[in-house]
C-alpha cells in the first residue's frame, strides 16, 4: 500500500499550524500536538473498478465503478487508548440500468506509523444498492481503530527541545529542531495516520496505477 510521504511540514502534527521552517514565536516554535492520528484515503485505493467478465480489462467490459469520498474522522482522545472512527461515503455507478442489484465492496482501515509502517489493519465491507432502472447509487461506511497513547506520545526530552523558548539572535534560533536526526526520528515514531481504502487485488491495484 502506497501512502503519502511525510515531510517537515506534515511532521508538524506537533504544530498548531504549519509554521515556517525555524519560525520564532513567543514561547517556542511549537504548540501542543494532538495524539490523534491524521485521517485520509491511502493513495491508489480510493476507487475500485469491477469488470464483466472479471478477467477483462477492456473499457467496454466495465461493470461497476465506485469511489470513496467525504472521509471524516472522530477521535476519542481519552485514557490509555486513542480510538479513531472514520466515516465515508461510496459513490457508485454501473454500466447497465436493468434490475435492482446489490454490490458488496471490500474496504480496509490501516494504522500507519511514521509514514511507512503499517502497524494494524482491519477489513470490512460496504454494500451499494442500485434501484431498478438506476445507474447510480450511494452508501456509507464506518471503520474504527485504536492506538496506545504511549506510542503516540513524544518523550519529554523531545517535547522540551521542540517547545523551549527561542529568541532571535540566539545560536539555536536559526536551527529547526526537526532537522536533528534524533528529534525527527522521535516525531516519526509518535506520528500515526488512520487510512481507509478499498481492499484491492493486485490486478486492481495495477489497473488503478496504469489508468
Amino acid at each position: 500500500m502506497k501512502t503519502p510521504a511525510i515531510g517537515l511540514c506534515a511532521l508538524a502534527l506537533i504544530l498548531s499550524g504549519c509554521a515556517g521552517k525555524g519560525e520564532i514565536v513567543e514561547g517556542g516554535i511549537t504548540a501542543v500536538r494532538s495524539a490523534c492520528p491524521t485521517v485520509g484515503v491511502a493513495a491508489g485505493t480510493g476507487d475500485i473498478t469491477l469488470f464483466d467478465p472479471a478477467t477483462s480489462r477492456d473499457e467496454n467490459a466495465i461493470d461497476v465503478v465506485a469511489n470513496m469520498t467525504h472521509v471524516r474522522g472522530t477521535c476519542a482522545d481519552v485514557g490509555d487508548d486513542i480510538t479513531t472512527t472514520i466515516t465515508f461515503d461510496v459513490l457508485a455507478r454501473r454500466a447497465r440500468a436493468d434490475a435492482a442489484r446489490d454490490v458488496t465492496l471490500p474496504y480496509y482501515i490501516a494504522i500507519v506509523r511514521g509514514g511507512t509502517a503499517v502497524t494494524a489493519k482491519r477489513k470490512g465491507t460496504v454494500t451499494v444498492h442500485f434501484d431498478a432502472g438506476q445507474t447510480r447509487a450511494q452508501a456509507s461506511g464506518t471503520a474504527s481503530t485504536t492506538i496506545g497513547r504511549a506510542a503516540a506520545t513524544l518523550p519529554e526530552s523531545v517535547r522540551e527541545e521542540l517547545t523551549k523558548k527561542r529568541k532571535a539572535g540566539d545560536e539555536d534560533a536559526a536551527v529547526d529542531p526537526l532537522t536533528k536526526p534524533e528529534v525527527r526520528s522521535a516525531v516519526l515514531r509518535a506520528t500515526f495516520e488512520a487510512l481507509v481504502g478499498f481492499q484491492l487485488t493486485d490486478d486492481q491495484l495495477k489497473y488503478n496505477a496504469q489508468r
Side-chain angles (χ1 to χ4, degrees):
M1 180 185 66
K2 181 179 179 182
T3 57
I6 294 183
L8 288 181
C9 187
L11 282 176
L13 283 172
I14 60 170
L15 303 178
S16 59
C18 196
K21 185 176 179 180
E23 181 178 347
I24 308 300
V25 297
E26 183 179 358
I29 68 165
T30 65
V32 177
R33 76 188 285 272
S34 170
C36 295
T38 55
V39 171
V41 179
T45 66
D47 56 271
I48 185 171
T49 302
L50 305 181
F51 291 86
D52 186 14
T55 55
S56 175
R57 290 300 177 265
D58 187 87
E59 184 176 351
N60 293 326
I62 292 177
D63 181 25
V64 175
V65 176
N67 299 281
M68 192 173 288
T69 186
H70 299 148
V71 176
R72 303 167 296 274
T74 302
C75 180
D77 186 5
V78 179
D80 294 334
D81 292 326
I82 300 167
T83 300
T84 300
T85 300
I86 298 178
T87 59
F88 58 88
D89 294 334
V90 173
L91 306 181
R93 66 181 187 276
R94 60 176 176 169
R96 298 183 300 275
D98 43 23
R101 179 186 176 190
D102 288 337
V103 178
T104 299
L105 303 171
Y107 70 87
Y108 69 91
I109 180 172
I111 287 293
V112 180
R113 188 176 194 176
T116 57
V118 177
T119 62
K121 184 176 181 181
R122 181 177 300 173
K123 299 177 183 179
T125 59
V126 58
T127 298
V128 179
H129 174 76
F130 292 94
D131 289 331
Q134 299 297 313
T135 60
R136 295 183 180 273
Q138 179 174 340
S140 297
T142 303
S144 63
T145 191
T146 300
I147 60 175
R149 176 176 297 281
T153 300
L154 288 172
E156 187 60 32
S157 60
V158 174
R159 288 179 60 85
E160 290 177 358
E161 176 69 19
L162 290 166
T163 59
K164 70 180 180 181
K165 188 172 182 178
R166 290 170 170 82
K167 296 181 181 179
D170 288 350
E171 183 177 351
D172 64 350
V175 179
D176 185 343
L178 288 174
T179 62
K180 298 180 179 181
E182 66 276 14
V183 174
R184 182 183 177 90
S185 177
V187 172
L188 280 172
R189 287 195 302 271
T191 298
F192 291 84
E193 297 169 284
L195 302 176
V196 292
F198 289 111
Q199 181 63 44
L200 304 178
T201 65
D202 289 342
D203 284 344
Q204 289 170 330
L205 283 169
K206 183 178 179 180
Y207 175 80
N208 281 3
Q210 294 180 340
R211 282 182 308 170

